[in-house]
Amino acid sequence: MFALRVVWGLCLAVAAMVVGVGFELHSDGVGVAASSAVIAGGVLLLPLTSAAVGRLAPAVTRE
């Protein structure tokens, strides 16, 4: 179970970095379409990670 918490924490960190890159792109004058897509990708990473951890949890705890 500890490994799943580590994976979840790493994915939170990656999502935060991706959202931050999107904000930096927007502030540097990159087009709204590109920066919004990066921000949305970072935000959508969280539910995808949650679903993956939810599916992996029963397999890991069975051992």
Side-chain angles (χ1 to χ4, degrees):
M1 197 65 178
F2 176 74
L4 291 179
R5 289 183 185 168
V6 171
V7 168
W8 176 244
L10 288 173
C11 289
L12 282 176
V14 168
M17 286 189 288
V18 169
V19 170
V21 166
F23 285 133
E24 286 294 322
L25 287 173
H26 184 70
S27 67
D28 284 343
V30 175
V32 174
S35 62
S36 296
V38 172
I39 293 170
V43 170
L44 290 175
L45 183 64
L46 296 177
L48 292 173
T49 302
S50 179
V53 168
R55 287 181 179 246
L56 288 174
V60 171
T61 56
R62 245 186 272 149
E63 294 176 353

